[in-house]
Each structure stands twice: as structure tokens, then as C-alpha cells.
């Protein structure tokens, strides 16, 4: 975590002095060094006044592009709750409102989906989906019995 803060601080300070041509190279060298010792894995975009000065990926992609795992749950919940705040949906809405043919969708709410209490099969236990497209995923889940 300290390394990430150091990198962000370095990038922030570097942004103030990007008029120097070597600053971009220095940032690249720093991020490359951290990637080499497995302390940074990701992408960097440095821009000034609308001009991209550095756009590069660092590290490896053997475990996926970014190792974000369950953090997406936080983003998803935040967006759903924002939609509820804007009255675009309600967390008491039934799944069948959005997927009318989903088995037992009339007994599953958005709130249950967010709190993982819907009983829908946990696809992380293994799956045979050829892709993660929405329709493929819904079809896959529709064929599974509810866990509870």
C-alpha cells in the first residue's frame, strides 16, 4: 500500500513539472522498476492540457488484466443505489421486471441480489459458459436450481 501511495504521489508531483521533457521518461522508468519487482501491475495515463504524454501498461497479465476481484461488488452496489436514488429503479423491484423469463424471478429482489441472499447459483464454483455476454450468462443461470 505504501508503494501505491508513493507511486500516486510521484505521479501527482510529476504532473506539476511535466514541462520538462525528461519527466515522462522518469515516470516510465519508475513504473517499470516497480513492475519489475512485482510492486505495480496496471496501466498509467499521464496527460497535460489534453495532450497524452504517457499511456502504457506495466506488469503481467497472467492473472488477468487487473486483479480487482470482488471490488466490482462495491462499484455495482454504488451504481444500483445511485439509480435507486434517482428513482430509475427500486431495490424492492423483482428480477422478473428486468428478466421476465428468469425462473422464480418474481420472488427475487434487487436487494437480495446485492446482499447475495437471492439463492441464485454461485457461478464462481465452476461454469461452462463460452463467454461472459449478458444473454449467455442469464441463460446459464436460468438452467441452475436456486441454492436456497
Amino acid at each position: 500500500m505504501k508503494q501505491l501511495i508513493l507511486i500516486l504521489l510521484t505521479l501527482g508531483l510529476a504532473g506539476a513539472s511535466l514541462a520538462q521533457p525528461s519527466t515522462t521518461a522518469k515516470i516510465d522508468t519508475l513504473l517499470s522498476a516497480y513492475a519489475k519487482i512485482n510492486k505495480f501491475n496496471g496501466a498509467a495515463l499521464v496527460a497535460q492540457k489534453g495532450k497524452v504524454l504517457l499511456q502504457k501498461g506495466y506488469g503481467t497479465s497472467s492473472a488477468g488484466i487487473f486483479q480487482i476481484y470482488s471490488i466490482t461488488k462495491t462499484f455495482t452496489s454504488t451504481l444500483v443505489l445511485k439509480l435507486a436514488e434517482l428513482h430509475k429503479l427500486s431495490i424492492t423491484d423483482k428480477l422478473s421486471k428486468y428478466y421476465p423469463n428468469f425462473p422464480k424471478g418474481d420472488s427475487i429482489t434487487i436487494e437480495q441480489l446485492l446482499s447475495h441472499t437471492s439463492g441464485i447459483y454461485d457461478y464462481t464454483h465452476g461454469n461452462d459458459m463460452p463467454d461472459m455476454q449478458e444473454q449467455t450468462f442469464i441463460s446459464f443461470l436460468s438452467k441452475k436450481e436456486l441454492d436456497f
Side-chain angles (χ1 to χ4, degrees), residues 31-124:
L31 293 177
S32 295
Y34 274 111
K36 191 172 185 173
I37 60 172
N38 297 317
K39 296 292 182 185
F40 181 69
N41 186 46
L45 174 66
V46 179
Q48 184 180 35
K49 296 179 182 176
K51 180 182 175 194
V52 175
L53 303 174
L54 174 69
Q55 181 178 1
K56 186 175 176 182
Y58 298 87
T60 63
S61 62
S62 61
I65 297 175
F66 297 105
Q67 299 173 5
I68 59 175
Y69 304 110
S70 290
I71 195 70
T72 58
K73 294 174 189 171
T74 305
F75 294 121
T76 301
S77 296
T78 300
L79 292 173
V80 168
L81 293 174
K82 184 64 177 176
L83 289 172
E85 182 181 286
L86 296 172
H87 305 289
K88 302 282 184 181
L89 58 77
S90 171
I91 61 170
T92 59
D93 284 348
K94 303 292 185 186
L95 180 59
S96 58
K97 180 176 180 178
Y98 304 96
Y99 295 97
N101 298 322
F102 197 90
K104 300 188 181 175
D106 57 339
S107 63
I108 299 170
T109 65
I110 291 176
E111 181 179 19
Q112 290 172 323
L113 292 171
L114 291 175
S115 63
H116 304 275
T117 58
S118 67
I120 290 179
Y121 175 77
D122 181 358
Y123 76 93
T124 62

Side-chain angles (χ1 to χ4, degrees), residues 126-141:
N127 67 69
D128 55 359
M129 293 180 292
D131 60 58
M132 289 293 287
Q133 299 296 316
E134 179 182 7
Q135 288 305 319
T136 305
F137 190 60
I138 295 300
S139 176
F140 171 80
L141 291 177

